[in-house]
Amino acid sequence: MENHGPKPIRCKAAVCRAAGEPLAIEEIVVDPPKEHEVRIRIICTSLCHSDVTFWRMKDFPGIFPRIFGHEAFGVVESVGEHVEEFAAGDAVVPTFLGQCSECVDCRSARSNMCSKYRFAVRPGMPRDGTTRFSDAQGRPLHHFLGVSSFAEYTVVDVNHAVKVNPAMPPALACLLSCGASTGVGAAWKLAKVEPGSSVAIFGLGAVGLAVAEGARICGASKIIGVDINPDKYELGKKFGMTHFINPKELGEKPVYQAIVEMTDGGADYCFECIGLAALMNDAFQSSREGWGKTIILGVEMHGAPLAVSSHEILRGKSVIGSMFGGVKPKQDIPILADKYLNKELELDKFITHEVGLNDINEAFDLLLQGKSVRCTIWMDR
């Protein structure tokens, strides 16, 4: 019998064939979605520091050739068998963190880590491990974080797609796919920042600035940004930052001492958004005795362990790890979209640059030079 289901699609993608090498625009083939999968036409995507981290990685889980990208907005083009949640034409954002909505963790308010389909940096699809991409010669191309959005079309598992209000501007919906949700969620969902509280944020990249935005929405009265880039002072103020510390300008004084003095005993909430064990320790030492919380958002870039004083732990301080800022994708991303549409959440200020897919390497240059917060990459330009 004739097969009337979805057919393979030929399209363009930015392919990385070796660690640290510029991406090449190639024609690829994207297979139809299998069971419990959807194929998405990507409208726009953006570059996140996690893409850069794995782009540089020479050893596993760095694996090539690969299609990077995990922060995006698109429209469902077709669905595989047993897909009831989505239909062609739905506006969606893909997410690196899945939500099955069935396991004990997905059903609990205490976790956003699906235990049925656990998070892992895989080279293929989460259920069967195979790829839906091949190059013009028919050779397989690897996936990235279950998304691979640096392509005009991609295939994702239903657990890794979230419907969003089509009234959301595509470039801003894209931000909710990773960075903005991670930072805002860390303040709102995980730390539960209270009105009038003090917050210290170590690292004012996109995630750190999103933490500031989340703390502003929650009503924090003192939002301290810590960064060695002096340009982040003016930028941070746009996101609600009230005070700025450049550790290079403190002389011999440790940064945690400056924060303790500014907050009369330590910040109520400290967020580490870089990924350095030394900064994680600084954040912990900057938190208040009795109830200070330190939230770790950065992945330690050298694999170093976190070491904190057991005496300070006994004084009521705590350290919390965070994946995706505690956000449950299918539950919380639509809430954040509504907050934007209701003018509570400000997203426009995150986008500093825009390029077309053909100029995607320019987005890498801008991020590596510290010139961009988020660079939107449009597929049709």
Side-chain angles (χ1 to χ4, degrees):
M1 294 179 64
E2 186 178 352
N3 181 4
H4 295 288
K7 303 290 194 297
I9 289 177
R10 289 185 176 272
C11 66
K12 288 194 304 182
V15 178
C16 185
R17 294 202 167 269
E21 287 191 0
L23 277 55
I25 305 301
E26 300 183 16
E27 182 181 85
I28 67 163
V29 175
V30 183
D31 289 341
K34 293 186 179 181
E35 293 182 357
H36 309 290
E37 296 174 357
V38 297
R39 187 161 59 186
I40 300 170
R41 178 171 66 90
I42 299 294
I43 305 299
C44 60
T45 182
S46 49
L47 180 65
C48 173
H49 269 288
S50 298
D51 295 302
V52 175
T53 298
F54 284 91
W55 167 71
R56 288 170 163 162
M57 203 174 287
K58 295 181 180 179
D59 300 316
F60 190 84
I63 187 169
F64 301 91
R66 191 173 225 166
I67 299 174
F68 286 105
H70 64 281
E71 189 174 272
F73 168 82
V75 175
V76 173
E77 176 272 336
S78 58
V79 302
E81 292 183 29
H82 311 305
V83 174
E84 298 176 355
E85 184 182 349
F86 300 97
D90 284 344
V92 294
V93 294
T95 59
F96 74 91
L97 195 65
Q99 181 181 344
C100 77
S101 302
E102 298 170 355
C103 69
V104 62
D105 288 82
C106 285
R107 287 187 282 108
S108 170
R110 295 180 294 178
S111 173
N112 69 337
M113 300 294 293
C114 178
S115 52
K116 185 175 182 180
Y117 302 101
R118 294 184 181 276
F119 171 78
V121 183
R122 304 175 182 88
M125 295 294 289
R127 293 181 197 246
D128 66 8
T130 61
T131 181
R132 303 293 172 267
F133 302 120
S134 56
D135 65 15
Q137 286 72 46
R139 298 171 298 198
L141 300 168
H142 298 296
H143 290 248
F144 180 60
L145 294 182
V147 177
S148 292
S149 58
F150 292 169
E152 292 178 318
Y153 288 84
T154 190
V155 176
V156 305
D157 190 276
V158 289
N159 294 336
H160 290 259
V162 178
K163 273 197 254 190
V164 292
N165 190 326
M168 279 293 294
L172 303 183
C174 177
L175 299 173
L176 298 179
S177 183
C178 180
S181 293
T182 298
V184 173
W188 162 53
K189 288 275 296 190
L190 200 63
K192 296 179 173 61
V193 170
E194 300 131 330
S197 57
S198 58
V199 170
I201 304 163
F202 289 74
L204 296 176
V207 171
L209 292 169
V211 171
E213 175 69 7
R216 179 192 68 78
I217 293 171
C218 291
S221 60
K222 189 171 286 186
I223 302 173
I224 305 165
V226 181
D227 204 292
I228 59 174
N229 182 348
D231 295 338
K232 296 297 177 73
Y233 173 59
E234 291 299 328
L235 180 62
K237 288 195 290 187
K238 297 178 182 178
F239 293 82
M241 187 183 75
T242 59
H243 298 73
F244 179 73
I245 295 175
N246 184 340
K248 290 183 176 180
E249 297 175 355
L250 291 177
E252 297 299 314
K253 181 186 288 188
V255 66
Y256 64 82
Q257 184 180 332
I259 291 173
V260 168
E261 291 172 0
M262 290 172 72
T263 56
D264 191 26
D268 300 317
Y269 304 97
C270 295
F271 298 83
E272 200 281 345
C273 307
I274 297 292
L276 286 171
L279 283 182
M280 295 174 191
N281 193 279
D282 281 344
F284 179 73
Q285 290 184 277
S286 302
S287 66
R288 188 176 189 86
E289 290 185 5
W291 62 68
K293 288 183 180 179
T294 299
I295 295 88
I296 306 298
L297 294 169
V299 178
E300 219 296 330
M301 58 184 73
H302 307 297
L306 169 62
V308 297
S309 165
S310 58
H311 295 292
E312 291 200 50
I313 286 278
L314 289 173
R315 292 173 180 171
K317 296 184 176 188
S318 61
V319 179
I320 306 171
S322 167
M323 180 73 81
F324 204 22
V327 163
K328 284 181 176 290
K330 293 181 185 289
Q331 171 186 312
D332 295 326
I333 288 177
I335 293 173
L336 292 173
D338 286 342
K339 285 182 180 291
Y340 169 78
L341 294 170
N342 293 332
K343 303 190 184 308
E344 297 173 54
L345 173 63
E346 299 174 8
L347 294 173
D348 305 72
K349 56 196 176 186
F350 284 92
I351 299 174
T352 54
H353 298 79
E354 296 181 304
V355 298
L357 180 63
N358 289 335
D359 298 315
I360 192 169
N361 289 307
E362 185 181 332
F364 276 75
D365 294 339
L366 289 165
L367 189 63
L368 292 169
Q369 293 164 13
K371 294 180 179 178
S372 70
V373 178
R374 273 296 186 264
C375 178
T376 305
I377 301 157
W378 294 93
M379 293 296 156
D380 61 354
R381 295 185 185 175

